[in-house]
Amino acid sequence: MSRSASVIIPAHDEAAYIGACLEALFASALEGATMQVIVVANGCKDATAQIAQDYAQQGRNLEVIDTPQGGKLHALDLGDAAAGHGTRIYLDADVIVSPGLIAGLIEALDAPAPRYASGMPVVASARSAVTRAYARFWQTLPFVASGVPGFGVYAVNAAGRARWEGWPQIISDDTFVRLQFIPAERVSVPALYSWPMVEGWRNLVRVRRRQDRGVAEIAARYPQILRNEGKAPLGLRGILTRALRDPVGFGVYAAVSLAVRLPGADGWVRGR
């Protein structure tokens, strides 16, 4: 059994977020456990790497890898190569973990059998009314409210990480990892983390379109893991119940869902 973990943070131009992310991360460590933190600043044109280096110079167990090559999957490969512990926690640089989350993940993954774990996501307060409405409805969906979705932060123990080798060049790394595990192997840790959603109509459509492409890509390339999904079906009754409770949120969510079906040529887009 292991009371240690390597936390891998891919970060591309996250100077505005990385400091708060690291502060919350170190405050969430499990007493008596060993936590190695690896920030992979990939293709940054801002001060992300320097800000992380400042934390490393404070005596934290933090390594900064500054690579000119962009790309989250490349950054994850570099982070895994530098990781010294079997348990891996993959954390987006704009996520704020609550004080108990990292401790809870390490404890949940302290087992010999393959396990996957994440916390309970809360969408950070948005500035735009359309994002607030979309997020309000989206957070009631079964995948978010009752599953272990893992967007923003997900973790696996050593036996779980052995389920795949290097990171494939795909859009949705979190979906790819989650579907390596059947629902019974996924653990929901009852600790919160704050995850930012993109602001405004145009960005919501762009990100939703990209998310849908990511799911379709996995279905095409890795159809064998789709059987592990285990999502609770929403059904017509569930949709109507939620629509009556929040007609504005439903209207915005439905409109975005329709808009993504229109032709679009979005390239890479940040998840917020």
Side-chain angles (χ1 to χ4, degrees), residues 122-127 131-132 135 139 193-197 199:
V122 175
V123 177
S125 179
R127 298 186 302 274
T131 295
R132 290 196 298 272
Q139 288 182 100
Y193 64 94
S194 176
W195 177 82
M197 187 172 281
E199 296 283 356

Side-chain angles (χ1 to χ4, degrees), residues 44-192:
C44 293
K45 296 179 175 61
D46 65 2
T48 297
Q50 184 55 58
I51 293 170
Q53 287 285 7
D54 291 344
Y55 279 87
Q57 292 169 5
Q58 295 172 14
R60 312 274 195 174
N61 188 5
L62 169 61
E63 176 182 351
V64 181
I65 301 172
D66 190 2
T67 173
Q69 181 177 337
K72 184 176 183 181
L73 284 308
H74 174 65
L76 291 174
D77 272 330
L78 293 178
D80 271 334
H85 304 294
T87 294
R88 308 284 167 83
I89 300 172
Y90 301 98
L91 176 66
D92 285 356
D94 54 5
V95 165
I96 304 296
V97 300
S98 67
L101 180 58
I102 299 301
L105 291 175
I106 292 175
E107 290 182 325
L109 297 172
D110 188 13
R115 280 188 184 174
Y116 165 99
S118 186
M120 302 175 66
V122 175
V123 177
S125 179
R127 298 186 302 274
S128 72
V130 68
T131 295
R132 290 196 298 272
Y134 182 93
R136 191 171 61 242
F137 186 84
W138 178 77
Q139 288 182 100
T140 70
L141 299 177
F143 169 69
V144 181
S146 59
V148 192
F151 51 82
V153 55
Y154 54 87
V156 296
N157 61 5
R161 183 60 186 84
R163 291 270 170 94
W164 75 100
E165 296 180 0
W167 291 88
Q169 289 301 313
I170 55 175
I171 295 171
S172 185
D173 60 285
D174 53 348
T175 303
F176 172 79
V177 172
R178 178 171 53 83
L179 293 182
Q180 303 294 323
F181 302 84
I182 62 173
E185 296 173 321
R186 303 175 201 153
V187 181
S188 178
V189 173
L192 304 177

Side-chain angles (χ1 to χ4, degrees), residues 34 42 152 157 183-184 199 201 214 219 246:
T34 301
N42 59 96
N157 61 5
E199 296 283 356
W201 169 263
D246 184 3

